[in-house]
Amino acid sequence: MDARDKAAWREADRILDQLLDLAPEHRAAALEATAPDPALRAMVERLLAAHGNATGPLECAPNLDSLDPREGGSLAGKRLGRWRLVEEIGRGGMAAVYRATSEEVPVGQLAAVKVLTLGALAAGGHDRFLREQQLLARLRHPGIVPLYEGGVAEDGTPWLAMALVDGERIDAWCNDRGADLETRVGLLLQIAGALAYAHRNLVIHRDIKPSNVLVDEDGHVRLLDFGIARLADELEPERTATALRALTPQYAAPEQFAGDAPGTAMDVYGLGALAYCLLAGQPPHGEGGRGTERPPPPSRARRMEDRREGAARAWARRLKGDLDTIAMKALAERPEDRYASIEAMADDLQRWRERRPIRARAPSLGYRLGRLIARRRAATAALLAVVVLGAVAAGQIAVQQHRAQEQAARASIVRDFLADVLASSDPSEGEIPDALDILETGARRAREELRTTSPLAAADVLSITGSARNALNDLDGAEADLLHALEILEGLPQPSPPELSRVHWSLGVLYKMRGTRRSLDHHLAAVEWVRKWDAPATERVKAEVSLASAWSRYGQMADAEQRLREVLAGIPEAGIEGTQEHMDALNALTSILARRNGPLEERIALHEQRTEVGRLLYGADNGWYAYTLADAVPTLRRDPAHLPRAEEMAREAVAITERIYEEPHMFAAVATCNLAALLAQSARMQEAAGYYSRAIGIDEALQRNDLHARSCRFGRAYVLASLGQADAARDDLARDRTMLSVMELERSGEWMNNCAMEALLQVAAGTSAAAAATLDDCRTQHAPADGGPIPLFELANAELHIAQDRPDLAAPILRALREVLPPGEPTRRWLRPWLLSVHVARETGDAPLEAQLRAQLRPHMADEAAGPCLDAGDVPRACPAFP
């Protein structure tokens, strides 16, 4: 097939796609109007005939296309597998979609059942189709609409049952809400995450377009039809018509028209085409289908589409440059000219959001510095000021030493040298040099020129450039400069304790960022050297706190705690109360006591002290002060007497972040999530769900994937389960598992808690076999190495035994839970195990134990909404499963 034939088939397929959306009786007239060329019209007629030869599903029903709802034809009322089709909710060239309900366990479950119009399966196709849908059913990602199951009707027509998603197609969602560029790019990043996950599981989408991407009210993206294109090829690879039906001309990659083997580059093109649509307001090849010319950049297309003054022009201006570059690279004709992977494209989109240089553009100095200034104007100015004036600080410290005149002269040398570096940094091609280039020039000249005339001054310069590079995340350059500075200092005839202590401290900070144990070695050396000179109190405390933090990271918790207590005891005498160093010491000790489960009263007192120091140090309208308040909430809410104070601090933290942050910020996410957890503990579940959703929205905007962000997601799952929203809770649990996988926590207590929640939901839904499988799989694949008991997981096992009428097996589990979760424990985790214990005692005929348990429970049940359920005949069903 030559290029001309391919172009003709593409145009025929575009027309066919339009005709299939019409009733059969209207297609002939539409074909006459849209395809005046007889040869082209004949090709379309062949495709229509091939499409019409497929048999329809169920009980010798006619072809699906003849079941036109306007003529009363429908599959509503028919049954496929366990699904009863209720009503048609959509139709396209490849399938009709029905709302359906399950008539088997779990009875009443909703689904969207897609009946594929691919024709009866050929010999062997039945098995291929079932194998394929099993592969797709394993895809479990929050951005992918899950496939429940698939099957084949008696006449050979394949069908798929997937989750029924309440959402709006992505382009309509954006347009209806007037979504800005940042929001649209954020949605694209969510899609990229789902596609990257699919690619890692060897599944390619191949039909990315607006109608296959839904967005819910909370801004969460869901991709539909994963693998449908692949299924089409598997079922009837020999038919050109079917192969062409597996793509959408406006969004398909060139190699799809040529019939090339599928590859991830097709999805890179598809995501680029979708990005183009969201940014430019139209598909890259126009609403009429694929043309032969390369599309214009999105900024130019936007101008052509809307020439109104004002907003449209400003929009196009923001598209020009990086976003144009990203979209056009993804849309390159040749796969090898596109991004190498979905992750690479996502990285550039994220870089655009963060005002960092994208990798798809040549890294000119002017461009890189422009990006640096755009994202951190104040930080850039501060950095350059540090480079120019860093030596002044060295001079101010030096005058405190017995060699003041010598040290001041050295500071002058450093200052003059750095000023000369700035003056001699000739911009290439008339552009302003990047700050990192200036630092590299200074470091190189210090090694090559300054070291021969003034080694100490050269070490000063390399310490300054190394610390600055570290702040800019140039860890390799920072490490090289700092190690070179250390080499110079260690080679001097007489050691210089001030410089050695500082360079070791800087290396300790750097290796902490790298996550290596060398940080501990350098912090130990920093403390040893800082004690060998008359260092200011702030410098001594900084070194000691850093060493204690390093010890705690590597298991020396007792040593760390003792050192921090000594440091804090000496702060008043040193006269540095209320300083950042004082705050750092309080933070470190508080963290260690939390990890060691230290005395609660002392931890609460430390948090109150941190709050006081933080307000003095940062001021009342400051993010760090809000974070200090929010960080105290999890500790204070563990004591019922401090719950009102905990809520006061939580709400103040949220109010501050709402006041001072216009853009999503980590401190806002932490404050909001901690308030949500406190509300959930107080059984204010509806309000808690709202705050959890706000916090999760911030985390998603920031692409946070740490333990705090996942605990927020898990917390919302629990709250939604308590509110009876089981499907939404399962969705959060699926997202939680994805986050844990990214953090490589497949074997952890967090994962076991996730399994436990999933199993509890399954028990509540009456699917005990599924719950047993969940718990067994989790125990085998996800149990942490230490093997310690995990209360929620143990509770799920007890619930399963009770549901299977084996109360004798539940009894010892519940007895162990009662020992670690006494009645009245403020997190309310005690409530369900104790209520179940009453039920099990009754079921096993242990009347004395039942009476004892009731007596222990009564004083604590007065304030519990679950109080009346204690006297119910069926405690497991009558009492809240998620209190």
Side-chain angles (χ1 to χ4, degrees):
M1 184 183 291
D2 61 21
R4 182 176 299 178
D5 288 337
K6 289 180 182 178
W9 278 111
R10 292 172 189 168
E11 179 61 14
D13 184 67
R14 182 188 68 79
I15 296 172
L16 175 64
D17 194 60
Q18 295 175 347
L19 296 180
L20 290 176
D21 289 333
L22 302 175
E25 71 272 16
H26 297 147
R27 291 173 182 167
L31 176 59
E32 188 71 29
T34 56
D37 177 70
L40 178 61
R41 189 162 61 250
M43 294 172 76
V44 178
E45 288 170 345
R46 286 171 57 193
L47 292 177
L48 272 172
H51 190 273
N53 285 335
T55 61
L58 303 174
E59 303 169 6
C60 300
N63 179 269
L64 275 177
D65 283 321
S66 68
L67 291 174
D68 187 353
R70 290 169 294 187
E71 298 180 349
S74 173
L75 295 176
K78 305 293 184 182
R79 177 165 168 164
L80 289 172
R82 65 183 173 97
W83 304 99
R84 180 70 64 183
L85 306 186
V86 177
E87 61 177 338
E88 184 177 313
I89 57 176
R91 178 180 291 265
M94 287 182 62
V97 186
Y98 288 81
R99 182 189 303 274
T101 60
S102 174
E103 295 189 342
E104 298 176 12
V105 176
V107 177
Q109 182 182 20
L110 293 176
V113 173
K114 181 163 289 195
V115 186
L116 305 179
T117 60
L118 298 175
L121 296 178
H126 178 282
D127 292 338
R128 286 200 308 275
F129 174 78
L130 292 180
R131 285 196 303 271
E132 192 66 31
Q133 64 87 13
Q134 288 170 1
L135 171 67
L136 298 177
R138 290 202 298 270
L139 292 181
R140 284 293 179 263
H141 186 277
I144 297 174
V145 175
L147 175 67
Y148 293 150
E149 59 182 314
V152 181
E154 291 181 359
D155 65 353
T157 298
W159 56 269
L160 299 167
M162 59 198 72
L164 185 63
V165 177
D166 183 13
E168 190 176 3
R169 55 183 280 167
I170 189 169
D171 52 349
W173 190 93
C174 290
N175 294 336
D176 291 348
R177 290 160 180 77
D180 58 19
L181 281 178
E182 283 75 10
T183 300
R184 293 170 191 243
V185 170
L187 295 175
L188 290 169
L189 282 167
Q190 290 188 55
I191 299 168
L195 288 173
Y197 166 83
H199 291 178
R200 290 194 296 272
N201 286 274
L202 307 181
V203 176
I204 304 166
H205 193 288
R206 289 194 277 165
D207 194 20
I208 303 167
K209 56 187 177 181
S211 60
N212 273 341
V213 183
L214 300 182
V215 186
D216 64 22
E217 281 297 321
D218 294 328
H220 298 145
V221 161
R222 310 292 179 85
L223 269 69
L224 301 167
D225 284 358
F226 252 98
I228 296 297
R230 181 174 177 173
L231 289 172
D233 290 352
E234 285 287 334
L235 296 174
E236 302 186 36
E238 73 283 0
R239 283 174 51 183
T240 302
T242 300
L244 287 173
R245 296 279 12 95
L247 57 83
T248 304
Q250 297 99 315
Y251 297 91
E255 62 267 26
Q256 289 179 262
F257 292 96
D260 291 355
T264 57
M266 292 179 179
D267 281 353
V268 172
Y269 190 98
L271 184 59
L274 181 61
Y276 192 104
C277 176
L278 296 185
L279 301 177
Q282 62 184 39
H285 300 288
E287 296 295 347
R290 175 177 290 279
T292 57
E293 297 181 359
R294 184 161 166 76
S299 61
R300 194 185 313 161
R302 187 79 185 191
R303 284 196 183 95
M304 291 188 293
E305 185 233 358
D306 189 349
R307 296 185 176 278
R308 293 173 300 174
E309 298 291 330
R313 184 172 294 175
W315 185 285
R317 236 185 349 258
R318 292 195 66 197
L319 292 176
K320 189 173 182 180
D322 286 354
L323 288 177
D324 274 350
T325 300
I326 292 170
M328 300 311 288
K329 182 173 179 65
L331 291 172
E333 288 289 304
R334 300 192 311 164
E336 60 268 28
D337 293 335
R338 298 173 204 152
Y339 284 101
S341 65
I342 286 290
E343 289 95 333
M345 182 177 174
D347 180 61
D348 263 0
L349 288 169
Q350 184 63 32
R351 285 172 169 272
W352 177 85
R353 292 180 81 189
E354 296 172 356
R355 308 298 188 264
R356 292 191 291 147
I358 64 170
R359 299 189 188 279
R361 288 191 65 175
S364 70
L365 292 178
Y367 168 68
R368 289 162 61 190
L369 188 59
R371 293 289 87 200
L372 175 67
I373 294 172
R375 74 178 183 271
R376 292 201 301 182
R377 296 180 186 276
T380 303
L383 168 66
L384 294 177
V386 165
V387 174
V388 176
L389 302 175
V392 176
Q396 289 173 342
I397 295 171
V399 295
Q400 301 171 18
Q401 313 307 314
H402 67 281
R403 294 180 297 167
Q405 189 173 359
E406 254 181 63
Q407 301 263 12
R410 191 177 92 231
S412 179
I413 293 172
V414 173
R415 183 177 59 248
D416 292 344
F417 173 83
L418 291 174
D420 182 58
V421 167
L422 284 173
S424 63
S425 298
D426 292 328
S428 62
E429 300 180 2
E431 294 180 326
I432 301 172
D434 189 294
L436 286 172
D437 292 323
I438 296 174
L439 293 171
E440 170 58 28
T441 300
R444 177 180 52 78
R445 289 185 57 187
R447 290 190 298 268
E448 296 173 359
E449 304 170 18
L450 190 58
R451 183 175 182 178
T452 59
T453 58
S454 179
L456 269 175
D460 284 342
V461 171
L462 289 166
S463 295
I464 292 169
T465 59
S467 297
R469 284 177 154 184
N470 197 26
L472 289 176
N473 208 34
D474 177 16
L475 301 188
D476 290 338
E479 182 178 20
D481 288 354
L482 291 170
L483 287 176
H484 206 140
L486 182 60
E487 177 193 341
I488 293 172
L489 292 169
E490 289 180 337
L492 295 173
Q494 296 293 326
S496 179
E499 285 71 24
L500 282 164
S501 64
R502 291 172 191 142
V503 77
H504 275 297
W505 183 85
S506 296
L507 282 164
V509 171
L510 182 141
Y511 288 123
K512 176 185 175 183
M513 294 179 68
R514 285 200 182 278
T516 72
R517 197 178 179 91
R518 294 177 70 181
S519 66
L520 178 56
D521 299 333
H522 285 287
H523 281 308
L524 273 168
V527 169
E528 290 174 1
W529 283 110
V530 84
R531 292 175 177 175
K532 294 181 181 180
W533 65 290
D534 188 19
T538 53
E539 198 146 348
R540 291 198 310 273
V541 169
K542 181 176 72 172
E544 296 280 1
V545 169
S546 296
L547 174 60
S549 297
W551 273 341
S552 70
R553 280 195 302 278
Y554 295 105
Q556 296 173 244
M557 304 291 287
D559 292 337
E561 181 181 341
Q562 180 181 346
R563 182 62 58 91
L564 288 169
R565 290 189 184 281
E566 293 170 358
V567 168
L568 283 166
I571 279 179
E573 183 181 348
I576 57 170
E577 290 179 292
T579 62
Q580 184 61 57
E581 288 72 24
H582 185 191
M583 190 70 177
D584 291 342
L586 288 170
N587 291 342
L589 181 59
T590 303
S591 174
I592 288 171
L593 290 178
R595 292 173 62 188
R596 301 192 76 194
N597 199 24
L600 184 59
E601 283 302 321
E602 181 184 13
R603 289 159 56 193
I604 290 173
L606 278 172
H607 276 296
E608 291 288 7
Q609 190 177 354
R610 287 176 69 227
T611 302
E612 181 182 350
V613 172
R615 188 179 182 89
L616 292 172
L617 185 61
Y618 307 124
D621 260 11
N622 181 277
W624 279 106
Y625 177 60
Y627 177 81
T628 303
L629 289 169
D631 193 46
V633 172
T635 298
L636 268 65
R637 69 184 177 88
R638 294 189 61 185
D639 184 348
H642 286 85
L643 275 175
R645 173 62 174 154
E647 182 168 351
E648 175 190 333
M649 296 171 81
R651 292 193 182 278
E652 184 181 356
V654 170
I656 292 171
T657 59
E658 288 178 344
R659 245 186 346 260
I660 68 175
Y661 294 124
E662 295 181 1
E663 300 293 329
H665 196 283
M666 183 190 76
F667 290 168
V670 171
T672 308
C673 184
N674 286 3
L675 173 58
L678 183 144
L679 293 169
Q681 175 180 316
S682 304
R684 287 174 278 177
M685 297 301 191
Q686 200 68 52
E687 189 179 5
Y691 279 105
Y692 269 133
S693 295
R694 286 166 59 181
I696 289 169
I698 298 170
D699 283 334
E700 288 182 337
L702 296 172
Q703 301 290 298
R704 286 184 72 214
N705 199 78
D706 57 20
L707 283 172
H708 189 275
R710 67 78 33 193
S711 71
C712 195
R713 177 74 67 178
F714 183 80
R716 188 174 70 172
Y718 187 96
V719 165
L720 292 173
S722 75
L723 293 171
Q725 300 176 32
D727 287 341
R730 289 192 184 95
D731 182 55
D732 270 340
L733 290 175
R735 290 169 181 257
D736 180 39
R737 287 192 294 274
T738 300
M739 298 171 79
L740 290 170
S741 293
V742 172
M743 290 184 280
E744 300 181 357
L745 290 173
E746 283 84 359
R747 288 192 172 272
S748 64
E750 289 83 3
W751 198 294
M752 298 285 279
N753 278 326
N754 186 294
C755 295
M757 272 284 291
E758 188 79 39
L760 288 169
L761 288 168
Q762 290 165 335
V763 169
T767 55
S768 295
T774 295
L775 294 173
D776 288 343
D777 175 75
C778 197
R779 195 179 290 108
T780 302
Q781 299 188 37
H782 303 294
D786 58 27
I790 297 168
L792 190 63
F793 192 82
E794 297 304 313
L795 174 63
N797 279 284
E799 294 265 13
L800 178 61
H801 291 319
I802 292 170
Q804 294 174 333
D805 294 323
R806 297 186 294 184
D808 54 315
L809 296 180
I813 298 174
L814 293 171
R815 182 168 58 248
L817 287 174
R818 293 198 302 272
E819 291 176 1
V820 297
L821 298 173
E825 197 265 340
T827 64
R828 305 176 79 248
R829 292 180 300 165
W830 61 273
L831 185 56
R832 183 70 176 177
W834 279 78
L835 291 172
L836 290 179
S837 295
V838 173
H839 171 78
V840 167
R842 180 193 304 161
E843 292 294 305
T844 57
D846 193 341
L849 176 60
E850 181 183 358
Q852 176 188 340
L853 292 172
R854 287 181 178 277
Q856 289 177 277
L857 276 174
R858 288 296 180 195
H860 303 284
M861 297 298 290
D863 297 329
E864 291 288 348
C869 75
L870 184 60
D871 298 317
D874 187 355
V875 170
R877 291 185 178 275
C879 296
F882 302 95

